[in-house]
Amino acid sequence: MITLKQLEKKLQKADTKIAGLYLFCNFVSLLLITAYSVMMFSPTVLLVLPKGGDSRKQMTAIFVLALFGCVVFTVYASGLFFRKKAKQLGTLMALGASGRKLLPGLLKEVLLLSSLSSLAGILAGFPFVILLWNSFRLFLTDSAQMELKFDFKCLYLSAAFFVIVVAFSCANAYRYLKRTNIMEVMHE
């Protein structure tokens, strides 16, 4: 006799491809946001761009657009993930599991996937910036003033985006669990 937990694990293994896509999307979003915020808060960049100037305003506007794009990208990826996950949840519900019983396991999985991929993206943002910066220096211009310095205040933006990603993911998980229709899953 197979238990509900064992069945849930088997269904999760069947969904590794879509979970990988979800992990990749979170990773890339946090990587980009971290890399951009590292550049934005870098004393090297801030010394070159005049305070209150158009260049800083453009840099901020581009960052806001990138932030918005990454939020949409992440929410879309979580929607794809949970659309596939709804089939798994519906199967478990058809076998007698209640939504209340499935919610803790679902939230735990979502928190784990979101947190790991987001933290990996934040950590990968720094080497990514170093690679971009050194490429810029190598191919475009290089001078003594171009040495990249970090201001770790940039991590506040990454942390805020991390919280947004995890909050949207948990809210999406709850929404899809509530919307799962057993009859539609059985029909599929």
Side-chain angles (χ1 to χ4, degrees):
M1 169 86 63
I2 192 167
T3 66
L4 191 61
K5 287 283 186 201
Q6 291 170 330
L7 182 60
E8 195 172 358
K9 293 273 187 214
K10 284 187 179 199
L11 289 172
Q12 283 175 352
K13 283 185 181 181
D15 291 338
T16 54
K17 187 176 180 182
I18 196 73
L21 176 69
Y22 177 67
L23 287 168
F24 178 74
C25 291
N26 280 347
F27 172 80
V28 168
S29 291
L30 263 297
L31 171 95
L32 293 175
I33 294 301
T34 301
Y36 202 108
S37 64
V38 166
M39 294 282 260
M40 261 181 40
F41 285 100
S42 169
T44 309
V45 172
L46 293 177
L47 286 174
V48 172
L49 300 178
K51 200 173 205 173
D54 287 342
S55 300
R56 278 202 194 186
K57 289 176 185 172
Q58 287 175 348
M59 178 179 65
T60 304
I62 292 169
F63 179 74
V64 169
L65 287 173
L67 186 65
F68 179 75
C70 285
V71 167
V72 170
F73 180 60
T74 307
V75 169
Y76 179 73
S78 75
L80 289 176
F81 174 72
F82 289 117
R83 199 170 301 133
K84 183 79 170 173
K85 200 76 166 151
K87 293 176 186 175
Q88 174 189 337
L89 296 171
T91 303
L92 293 170
M93 290 172 133
L95 293 172
S98 68
R100 185 172 286 173
K101 191 172 186 175
L102 294 173
L103 184 62
L106 180 62
L107 288 178
K108 181 181 174 186
E109 181 183 5
V110 168
L111 282 171
L112 182 69
L113 288 175
S114 298
S115 297
L116 289 177
S117 61
S118 297
L119 289 174
I122 289 171
L123 292 175
F126 286 94
F128 184 63
V129 166
I130 292 169
L131 177 74
L132 288 175
W133 191 265
N134 287 333
S135 298
F136 179 77
R137 288 181 74 181
L138 181 66
F139 294 115
L140 295 175
T141 183
D142 193 12
S143 67
Q145 296 105 356
M146 293 292 291
E147 187 174 328
L148 181 65
K149 295 179 181 122
F150 296 125
D151 184 353
F152 290 99
K153 289 179 189 171
C154 64
L155 289 175
Y156 292 134
L157 289 174
S158 297
F161 190 73
F162 169 76
V163 169
I164 289 170
V165 165
V166 171
F168 270 119
S169 297
C170 289
N172 246 355
Y174 182 75
R175 189 178 117 223
Y176 271 91
L177 183 64
K178 291 296 180 191
R179 288 181 44 193
T180 299
N181 186 339
I182 298 170
M183 294 310 290
E184 284 180 17
V185 171
M186 296 304 286
H187 181 61
E188 255 184 65

